[in-house]
Amino acid sequence: MSFLSSPTGFLTSTIKDALGWARKYSIFQYPFVTACCGMEYMSTAASHYDVDRFGAGFPRFSPRQSDVLFVVGTISHKMAPVLKTIHDQMCEPKWVVAFGVCTCTGGFYDNYSTVMGIDTIIPVDIYIPGCPPRPENVIDGLMKLQEKIQKGEQSRTLYDPRTKTGRPAELSQGYSIEQHIKHIESSP
Amino acid sequence: MTPNLTTSKEQGILTPLQRVQEQFSQEVVETHAFRGDETLVIRPGALLAVAKFLKTAPELDFNFLMDLTAVDYLFFAGGRVQKEFRFEVVYHFYSLKHNHRLRIKVPVDEKDPEVDTLTGLWPSADWYEREAWDMFGIQFKGHPNLKRILMYEEFQGHALRKDYPFNKRQPLIGPQN
Ligand code: SF4
């Protein structure tokens, strides 16, 4: 027993790493597909881009058997309670990916029917912007998610529009036009 | 200039518009025809009679209700055009047999936005009328199941009315606006 409770925590940290490694390469995803982004999701999932290379090639159409919720497409206020229920039904540990600008922020739908970002309802781990995002972009997001899963991190916060807080820090910092121009000029 | 209409009239064949006009001359408020695209504006009270005539008269035989929707003329053309009635309910009919079309418009008042239902004649009017009720608040008298179809029951107001604030949200869960 002295080995388990050793001050270095050798065994527990190794088990955590092993679990993270196992989890990140066996993602059982639940695709919650509502709109046009679904087309891009399908092309990412199909053989050309092949998310199976990342261990995420097996969508389960039951939230109780999946650990990553892919929210793909516009979420309306009528749909929002359903999404929340699905998220509640998933077992821990669980992660959420917001796929496309509609799910990230509401996108260009500033109207009576659309939820302004699903992070006002459920916590989101990875935001993949784009309308729709290119498959490369999705795979990039998936790899970022795998890093998160490896570290055992999960997002727990909701976005609060009154205080404008709750999203991941790097998102609330904003992205200025100057930054954007600098980014374009520096890229080859 | 409607060359095809005059020729067909000379030949003694009436277009659907002329046929309805002939039958219901008292009820027609306004007509418009452009290259076979024909529109009739009729009094709301005559809707059922006209619709029945369109469906049953063998030379018309409009067996297909293609579309049914409404228009809100509040602030129309930036407020420069004032209409007598705020709403218009628009019906698009098509005859599969004769391959002709007719558009019927019914002006509806803001205080009492109500017209007769067409579900008895064309069952497809059911969901169209529910949509017009949901989005514009037009009542369809005699509709068997007039409730919201796109929005949820808790929604207040009618979203496509021009005086509904376009970004006013009424979420079921999550933060208010
Ligand atoms: S982000 Fe664009 S492509 Fe994706 S659901 Fe919204 S509108 Fe459609």
Side-chain angles (χ1 to χ4, degrees):
Chain A
M1 272 301 127
S2 61
F3 178 66
L4 263 179
S5 54
S6 68
T8 52
F10 171 77
L11 189 63
T12 41
S13 65
T14 312
I15 285 178
K16 197 168 156 253
D17 283 353
L19 265 181
W21 177 84
R23 279 179 185 148
K24 83 171 179 182
Y25 288 125
S26 63
I27 294 173
F28 281 20
Q29 36 163 329
Y30 180 85
F32 191 89
V33 180
T34 58
C36 19
C37 267
M39 294 296 132
E40 213 61 20
Y41 172 81
M42 288 174 216
S43 75
T44 314
S47 51
H48 190 83
Y49 288 96
D50 194 12
V51 285
D52 218 359
R53 294 177 293 161
F54 303 89
F58 193 26
R60 303 306 306 247
F61 295 101
S62 159
R64 294 172 199 278
Q65 297 169 353
S66 46
D67 44 25
V68 174
L69 176 63
F70 267 75
V71 186
V72 182
T74 327
I75 299 297
S76 64
H77 286 302
K78 198 175 179 177
M79 180 72 87
V82 179
L83 178 63
K84 174 91 174 102
T85 311
I86 297 250
H87 182 256
D88 289 346
Q89 283 177 344
M90 289 168 65
C91 295
E92 291 286 351
K94 56 189 172 190
W95 292 269
V96 178
V97 175
F99 187 118
V101 285
C102 282
T103 49
C104 293
T105 64
F108 44 76
Y109 295 114
D110 184 8
N111 62 16
Y112 60 92
S113 62
T114 307
V115 175
M116 296 280 101
I118 57 162
D119 51 3
T120 56
I121 312 167
I122 55 177
V124 174
D125 292 278
I126 296 289
Y127 297 81
I128 306 176
C131 179
R134 281 195 56 84
E136 292 89 340
N137 212 348
V138 180
I139 289 172
D140 184 41
L142 190 63
M143 284 157 68
K144 290 211 166 66
L145 178 70
Q146 285 180 326
E147 281 170 28
K148 248 186 135 163
I149 295 177
Q150 171 72 68
K151 287 190 215 142
E153 290 174 4
Q154 277 171 273
S155 175
R156 284 282 177 238
T157 49
L158 288 184
Y159 176 67
D160 185 350
R162 277 173 294 263
T163 57
K164 296 213 174 4
T165 53
R167 295 189 197 223
E170 64 270 21
L171 276 170
S172 52
Q173 273 161 14
Y175 185 59
S176 67
I177 300 284
E178 289 79 17
Q179 270 177 304
H180 185 59
I181 293 169
K182 212 186 273 173
H183 174 76
I184 291 172
E185 282 172 350
S186 64
S187 52
Chain B
M1 216 182 69
T2 49
N4 51 350
L5 290 188
T6 40
T7 42
S8 57
K9 192 158 197 179
E10 279 159 14
Q11 290 160 0
I13 307 163
L14 295 182
T15 64
L17 183 140
Q18 290 161 339
R19 188 75 188 83
V20 177
Q21 226 178 345
E22 186 189 72
Q23 190 82 12
F24 296 93
S25 53
Q26 296 299 308
E27 309 292 352
V28 175
V29 182
E30 201 184 319
T31 65
H32 178 254
F34 179 70
R35 293 184 180 161
D37 189 7
E38 303 178 329
T39 308
L40 270 168
V41 184
I42 60 168
R43 284 183 218 292
L47 176 67
L48 264 188
V50 172
K52 196 162 218 155
F53 178 67
L54 292 180
K55 175 132 195 206
T56 49
E59 73 276 25
L60 297 178
D61 196 14
F62 284 102
N63 52 2
F64 183 13
L65 173 65
M66 296 188 71
D67 196 11
L68 188 168
T69 186
V71 185
D72 185 356
Y73 284 106
L74 191 73
F75 314 131
F76 184 53
R80 288 189 302 278
V81 179
Q82 290 291 329
K83 287 252 181 183
E84 193 185 344
F85 296 106
R86 178 168 164 188
F87 298 104
E88 254 174 15
V89 185
V90 188
Y91 302 84
H92 289 217
F93 297 105
Y94 178 59
S95 166
L96 290 165
K97 187 168 172 205
H98 302 294
N99 187 23
H100 55 209
R101 293 160 202 276
L102 187 64
R103 183 188 299 125
I104 303 267
K105 292 186 181 179
V106 181
V108 183
D109 194 16
E110 183 181 354
K111 285 185 213 75
D112 179 29
E114 187 175 72
V115 288
D116 288 314
T117 178
L118 293 191
T119 44
L121 291 160
W122 291 271
S124 65
D126 186 347
W127 284 12
Y128 288 138
E129 289 179 353
R130 280 175 64 186
E131 188 193 10
W133 156 248
D134 191 357
M135 290 290 139
F136 293 94
I138 310 265
Q139 294 269 6
F140 290 88
K141 200 165 43 185
H143 190 286
N145 181 28
L146 194 65
K147 60 179 192 189
R148 290 184 184 276
I149 188 168
L150 295 172
M151 305 310 290
Y152 29 95
E153 283 303 319
E154 293 84 348
F155 195 81
Q156 303 280 325
H158 301 281
L160 287 191
R161 285 195 173 190
K162 295 291 178 202
D163 51 4
Y164 185 87
F166 73 92
N167 56 3
K168 178 168 184 276
R169 300 182 191 97
Q170 305 177 25
L172 291 173
I173 60 169
Q176 303 283 328
N177 263 9

